Amino acid sequence: MNDEGGEENSPQNLVALELGCSVCSACENNLCSVPANRVLSAVSGVSTVVSQTSHAVKARRLILHNGDTQNSVPVICSGWAASMKLLPDGRRQILSFLLPGDIASAGLLFTPKPGLVVEAITDVHYRAFKYQEMKAMLLSKPGVLDKLLNDCIAAQSRADRLIVDLGRRSGEERIARLILNLAQRLKVRGMMRGPDQMDFPLRQHHIADATGLTQVHVSKVISDFRRSRLVEFHQRSVTIIDLEGLRRRADVRSCARAREIFYARSAA
Amino acid sequence: MNDEGGEENSPQNLVALELGCSVCSACENNLCSVPANRVLSAVSGVSTVVSQTSHAVKARRLILHNGDTQNSVPVICSGWAASMKLLPDGRRQILSFLLPGDIASAGLLFTPKPGLVVEAITDVHYRAFKYQEMKAMLLSKPGVLDKLLNDCIAAQSRADRLIVDLGRRSGEERIARLILNLAQRLKVRGMMRGPDQMDFPLRQHHIADATGLTQVHVSKVISDFRRSRLVEFHQRSVTIIDLEGLRRRADVRSCARAREIFYARSAA
DNA sequence: CGCTTCATTGATCAATCTCAACTCGCGTGG
DNA sequence: CCACGCGAGTTGAGATTGATCAATGAAGCG
């Protein structure tokens, strides 16, 4: 685990940090000790602060190793990260992208997850909370627990959606859905650059590892999206030009077999 | 939802029922009112019994509809079921197979899951617990809550494994893993027929919907497994003849790209 | 400047799907 | 008892999707 403390104070990083905090579950639950939260806990009269460490890591570095004993739980303050699993032969599958405010995995609060790796996509600031303290504290505060449980359940339903995507949708659909999904998540956080534009620090291999495809194939599909004037990529950002068109690619499938099954079932 | 109460009492059904109960989380938590549990609660001094209904459904019938308001949570007492999601065009993806003792989805205790469907594979007995009562009761009993949380987390990590399988493994690997996985789960429950033989009520289309493949392709892969003398199918049961061989099919992949990535990373 | 990462593109190959035909076993109604 | 239909599985012949391989160029960085 990285041993560096300290916040940077270049303007945009502070902004990102605040953005993260404003939607951060650790913050909402008064677990965090960044200034804004200190104020907040003072106001709400709750002063519980779980011991924690603050870290900065460069892009492409690991936040959570595989070999780690994992006695702490990272919460992203700024930047993008990915939580993934690695197969022994080098194949990798991204389980989810972590945006500011996201807890690496709510389940981690209760059990370490062997085989889980979290990697920074951009430069990332995160806080690591001690796992046992956190747990003890949670069990004493029903309100907090409830919120964590919701996190857990939300994670589960995101996982379910991903399972359906990977099992039953074409590459094109998966990529379109990924883009729409990220736009949605950023919108909730107020992190869109404009109505249709967002930061997009993902490399094509991230998209590949998230959608179960190859980087080469991702390139081809995205080129097609671009040619069809659905989206536009400028340096590390995406603009959705034709939302409806993109949605259509995300959902529609003119598949003879699907139709056949459909008719079979509605007849029954 | 089915409105039939009543237990059947043909010998093997009673056996199955008991087997289910002996590993059932509802039972462990003293939520259930079947005779064995009544005794158990009396012994342990806890008499909380959440109001519940008992149901029997035929194979291929739904236990949980999509349109259902889902104010209750099914727990399987005997038989096999599948929880799945349906796409509007008829494609379907099985999220997990439910064996006796399984709760349809631990998350259901806290929020209804729109779009989730549970279908009986064999004839099934299940109990449905009222969702709000259950929740209220859980929050008052920390021990029970803890156990449920574990269920939740276990579900999550099963989901993660499935995501990796669907995203990054070949059809052959997925099918081999599914078989091994089911054998493992049955073994834990003491439900194996012999050291290497188990009930296997799944149709090929169930395997297809669980692995994201086509029934036709499943047929071909399984034929190959059979020809390679890895497994044998007799009416509704499977014998694993060559465990090591099957494991090899479940894991190995001689994939040039994977090796390349591997070397690239170990060099870095 | 030289190195590395990232993206693009084309040619070819492999896995998987689609379509269709056929078998088999089972239950049902005549 | 038989005919029939249905669900399930098998098999083969293409068609498609996506992977692999390889070459090239552009961008970023010490």
Side-chain angles (χ1 to χ4, degrees), chain A residues 57-78:
Chain A
V57 294
K58 287 277 172 205
R60 315 197 35 189
R61 281 286 142 76
L62 299 188
I63 292 174
L64 204 64
H65 305 46
N66 198 342
D68 250 352
T69 36
Q70 289 192 3
N71 51 9
S72 62
V73 184
V75 174
I76 308 296
C77 298
S78 74

Side-chain angles (χ1 to χ4, degrees), chain B residues 222-235:
Chain B
I222 284 186
S223 295
D224 177 55
F225 283 0
R226 218 188 292 104
R227 258 193 307 280
S228 310
R229 314 262 333 126
L230 299 177
V231 292
E232 243 168 28
F233 288 74
H234 309 95
Q235 58 227 348

Side-chain angles (χ1 to χ4, degrees), chain B residues 19-262:
Chain B
L19 278 174
C21 282
S22 70
V23 293
C24 172
S25 56
C27 167
E28 272 185 39
N29 293 329
N30 295 315
L31 304 177
C32 192
S33 66
V34 303
N37 291 302
R38 288 243 182 74
V39 174
L40 211 148
S41 5
V43 169
S44 66
V46 186
S47 63
T48 348
V49 171
V50 174
S51 78
Q52 62 195 268
T53 49
S54 174
H55 307 265
V57 293
K58 286 277 169 204
R60 314 194 38 183
R61 281 285 142 78
L62 299 189
I63 291 173
L64 204 63
H65 305 47
N66 197 343
D68 251 352
T69 37
Q70 290 192 359
N71 50 12
S72 63
V73 184
V75 174
I76 308 297
C77 299
S78 75
W80 292 39
S83 85
M84 60 181 86
K85 289 212 171 182
L86 308 180
L87 297 188
D89 62 7
R91 288 176 281 180
R92 42 165 58 198
Q93 176 65 45
I94 291 180
L95 302 176
S96 71
F97 292 110
L98 305 179
L99 303 183
D102 283 339
I103 189 167
S105 161
L108 269 182
L109 290 174
F110 304 94
T111 335
K113 288 197 178 185
L116 187 73
V117 169
V118 176
E119 189 180 298
I121 292 172
T122 63
D123 292 354
V124 162
H125 286 263
Y126 70 93
R127 300 180 162 269
F129 295 90
K130 282 270 168 275
Y131 148 64
Q132 293 94 336
E133 275 184 58
M134 192 87 160
K135 185 172 177 182
M137 189 279 207
L138 286 180
L139 293 180
S140 71
K141 304 221 162 252
V144 177
L145 180 62
D146 218 43
K147 212 160 266 178
L148 255 299
L149 252 152
N150 281 348
D151 257 30
C152 240
I153 289 163
Q156 179 75 49
S157 87
R158 255 178 287 125
D160 289 350
R161 224 174 312 136
L162 184 53
I163 288 169
V164 176
D165 285 357
L166 293 174
R168 287 303 182 202
R169 308 187 106 111
S170 70
E172 203 179 81
E173 285 177 294
R174 292 183 224 165
I175 293 174
R177 295 173 73 79
L178 176 62
I179 294 172
L180 289 170
N181 208 331
L182 286 170
Q184 182 56 36
R185 287 177 66 194
L186 289 173
K187 192 166 287 173
V188 167
R189 276 155 230 257
M191 287 175 70
M192 293 293 282
R193 283 230 196 136
D196 305 312
Q197 197 188 15
M198 58 176 168
D199 278 334
F200 200 82
L202 303 186
R203 307 290 156 154
Q204 291 187 344
H205 73 263
H206 292 121
I207 302 179
D209 287 336
T211 53
L213 302 168
T214 298
Q215 179 270 319
V216 173
H217 192 59
V218 168
S219 169
K220 285 168 182 169
V221 171
I222 284 186
S223 295
D224 177 55
F225 283 0
R226 218 188 292 104
R227 258 193 307 280
S228 310
R229 314 262 333 126
L230 299 177
V231 292
E232 243 168 28
F233 288 74
H234 309 95
Q235 58 227 348
R236 308 300 110 196
S237 85
V238 171
T239 310
I240 298 179
I241 303 174
D242 177 0
L243 183 59
E244 268 322 302
L246 194 57
R247 288 221 176 104
R248 237 173 293 124
R249 300 275 188 130
D251 261 321
V252 170
R253 172 96 89 99
S254 55
C255 160
R257 174 173 158 269
R259 271 198 301 276
E260 172 214 331
I261 291 177
F262 180 69

Side-chain angles (χ1 to χ4, degrees), chain A residues 1-2 53-57 63 74-77 124-128:
Chain A
M1 217 45 87
N2 200 306
T53 50
S54 174
H55 306 264
V57 294
I63 292 174
V75 174
I76 308 296
C77 298
V124 161
H125 287 264
Y126 70 94
R127 299 178 162 272

